[in-house]
């Protein structure tokens, strides 16, 4: 397959160089999202379509591993994927420009309003057991490089300041630049035949319809009745009850409360953190990526339906 060398994305948690040497199969699905943007949700949708079921033969972390995460060795992940007989669907937080590209692979890009991502990530970090994460990382890949990732300062007690740090990309790991840059990269590739864009807001708006759209992208038949059954199984409350089965890294004690991973996050919780000054600055930063493309702005905030944005597929 024709592949290109991509840009490297690396932090304490993941390293896109782990894709080096990976052998794709025709039909592979790569789920590429910024963190807290519907990754696990999309894995669930893909699993139901691939297995034509709401219950699966293994935990999601094994069925759809996060290839570039540093809590399992690359050899372990490669061996796991090589042994799979089903159609493979692989998780990554690496943008398209950091991934090997193959024409017979489908790249599913999922977006979410960056401001909602910022709020969700705060709750995500508050639920993490970092000591456990570092210990697992050390056992998997070693921690000799920890000096490359100095610990961030403690989060500010002022929520407005925390949002400002996100907007200015002063936050750790997940920043405005990492989220919007990821989505712009996907947006620019939306006309490519093996790239498809989805959005958290569209899942919330009409999950059965988005399931049918995803099925169409993947070449899988799905009627309306089956889509409704799958959508019910993929609801937040249903997935929360199956957190140990569906959540990432659940077997490695990285969460203080496994069910809190599936937080009932609302939309627009960021509103009371945006002063007039910060809202203006957010708009300026967004324009750095939008460059006048209002459709891109509408899509990252509202998705294709709510924003009235037409996508190729």
């Amino acid at each position: 397959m024709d592949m290109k060398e991509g840009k490297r994305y690396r932090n304490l948690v993941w390293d896109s160089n782990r894709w080096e040497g990976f052998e794709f199969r025709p039909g592979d699905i790569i789920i590429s999202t910024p963190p807290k943007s519907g990754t696990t949700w999309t894995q669930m949708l893909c699993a139901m379509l691939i297995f034509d079921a709401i219950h699966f033969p293994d935990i999601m972390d094994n069925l759809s591993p996060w290839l570039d995460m540093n809590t399992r060795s690359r050899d372990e992940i490669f061996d796991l994927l090589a042994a799979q007989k089903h159609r493979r669907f692989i998780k990554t937080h690496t943008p398209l420009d950091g991934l090997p590209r193959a024409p017979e692979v489908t790249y599913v890009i999922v977006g979410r309003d960056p401001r909602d991502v910022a709020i969700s990530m705060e709750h995500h970090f508050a639920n993490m057991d970092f000591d456990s994460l570092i210990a697992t990382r050390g056992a998997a890949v070693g921690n000799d490089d920890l000096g490359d990732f100095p610990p961030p300062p403690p989060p500010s007690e002022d929520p407005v300041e925390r949002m400002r740090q996100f907007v200015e990309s002063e936050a750790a790991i997940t920043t405005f630049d990492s989220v919007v840059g990821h989505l712009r990269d996907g947006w620019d590739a939306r006309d490519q035949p093996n790239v498809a864009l989805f959005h958290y807001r569209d899942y919330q708006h009409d999950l059965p319809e988005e399931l049918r759209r995803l099925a169409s992208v993947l070449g899988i038949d799905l009627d309306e009745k089956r889509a409704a059954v799958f959508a019910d199984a993929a609801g937040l409350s249903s997935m929360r009850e199956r957190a140990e089965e569906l959540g990432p890294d659940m077997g490695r004690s990285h969460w203080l409360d496994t069910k809190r991973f599936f937080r009932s996050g609302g939309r627009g919780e960021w509103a009371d953190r945006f002063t007039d000054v910060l809202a203006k600055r957010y708009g300026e930063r967004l324009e750095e990526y939008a460059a006048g493309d209002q459709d891109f702005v509408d899509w990252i905030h509202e998705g294709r339906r709510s924003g009235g944005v037409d996508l190729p597929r």
Side-chain angles (χ1 to χ4, degrees):
M1 292 183 178
D2 180 27
M3 300 183 191
K4 70 180 183 68
E5 182 178 352
K7 176 181 176 182
R8 186 180 189 184
Y9 290 86
R10 175 175 178 254
N11 56 44
L12 174 70
V13 181
W14 74 86
D15 184 352
S16 63
N17 271 12
R18 287 167 58 101
W19 284 92
E20 184 178 351
F22 181 69
E23 295 185 6
F24 284 118
R25 296 174 187 166
D28 280 347
I29 303 160
I30 308 302
I31 301 168
S32 170
T33 73
K36 309 311 298 178
S37 297
T39 318
T40 307
W41 209 349
T42 306
Q43 289 174 286
M44 178 67 168
L45 304 184
C46 286
M48 291 188 297
L49 293 172
I50 289 167
F51 294 105
D52 191 25
I54 61 173
H55 294 285
F56 316 122
D58 203 344
I59 62 172
M60 190 67 73
D61 212 29
N62 290 335
L63 294 174
S64 178
W66 180 0
L67 189 148
D68 16 26
M69 189 179 189
N70 287 320
T71 55
R72 287 191 277 187
S73 72
R74 187 170 68 168
D75 285 346
E76 179 185 349
I77 296 296
F78 278 28
D79 289 347
L80 176 65
L81 289 166
Q84 289 184 348
K85 304 300 183 184
H86 61 80
R87 186 176 180 181
R88 301 186 303 188
F89 55 116
I90 305 165
K91 166 184 172 177
T92 183
H93 287 319
T94 297
L96 277 178
D97 66 354
L99 294 172
R101 300 291 295 280
E104 294 179 299
V105 171
T106 300
Y107 297 83
V108 176
I109 314 300
V110 187
R112 188 182 185 186
D113 187 321
R115 299 163 295 187
D116 287 326
V117 170
I119 300 295
S120 185
M121 186 54 83
E122 285 188 10
H123 291 275
H124 182 81
F125 279 135
N127 191 36
M128 288 189 70
D129 184 334
F130 282 96
D131 289 340
S132 173
L133 176 67
I134 295 300
T136 305
R137 185 187 192 275
V141 302
N143 282 331
D144 292 342
D145 62 344
L146 285 185
D148 296 343
F149 312 106
S156 171
E157 294 184 3
D158 180 1
V160 175
E161 173 59 17
R162 293 198 301 270
M163 183 60 76
R164 186 202 67 78
Q165 291 173 343
F166 172 81
V167 170
E168 297 293 356
S169 288
E170 297 170 6
I173 299 181
T174 301
T175 66
F176 177 93
D177 284 327
S178 67
V179 174
V180 181
H182 191 139
L183 299 183
R184 183 72 214 199
D185 188 45
W187 178 260
D188 288 343
R190 66 193 184 280
D191 290 323
Q192 296 180 18
N194 63 336
V195 174
L197 270 57
F198 288 81
H199 198 279
Y200 196 98
R201 177 63 174 149
D202 293 323
Y203 290 168
Q204 292 176 315
H205 186 88
D206 191 338
L207 188 55
E209 179 172 338
E210 291 306 296
L211 262 163
R212 292 195 297 273
R213 181 169 167 256
L214 179 60
S216 177
V217 165
L218 300 180
I220 296 172
D221 291 332
L222 182 70
D223 60 32
E224 290 189 14
K225 182 177 179 181
R226 198 68 173 149
V229 171
F230 286 172
D232 185 63
L236 181 62
S237 60
S238 298
M239 292 182 67
R240 185 186 296 113
E241 291 305 311
R242 298 169 62 185
E244 295 285 352
E245 172 193 351
L246 301 176
D249 266 3
M250 288 298 177
R252 283 174 280 279
S253 303
H254 296 161
W255 309 108
L256 302 177
D257 181 342
T258 55
K259 290 187 178 182
R260 279 174 57 195
F261 178 83
F262 294 99
R263 172 180 171 266
S264 182
R267 179 170 175 266
E269 293 178 273
W270 47 265
D272 60 358
R273 302 190 184 198
F274 267 70
T275 63
D276 290 344
V277 171
L278 185 53
K280 181 176 183 294
R281 180 57 180 153
Y282 175 82
E284 293 170 346
R285 295 245 46 222
L286 191 55
E287 180 58 22
E288 293 172 14
Y289 287 90
D293 187 345
Q294 188 59 43
D295 279 350
F296 171 67
V297 174
D298 290 343
W299 176 72
I300 67 167
H301 287 154
E302 298 291 344
R304 70 181 186 92
R305 288 178 56 88
S306 301
V309 176
D310 290 327
L311 293 175
R313 55 190 303 192

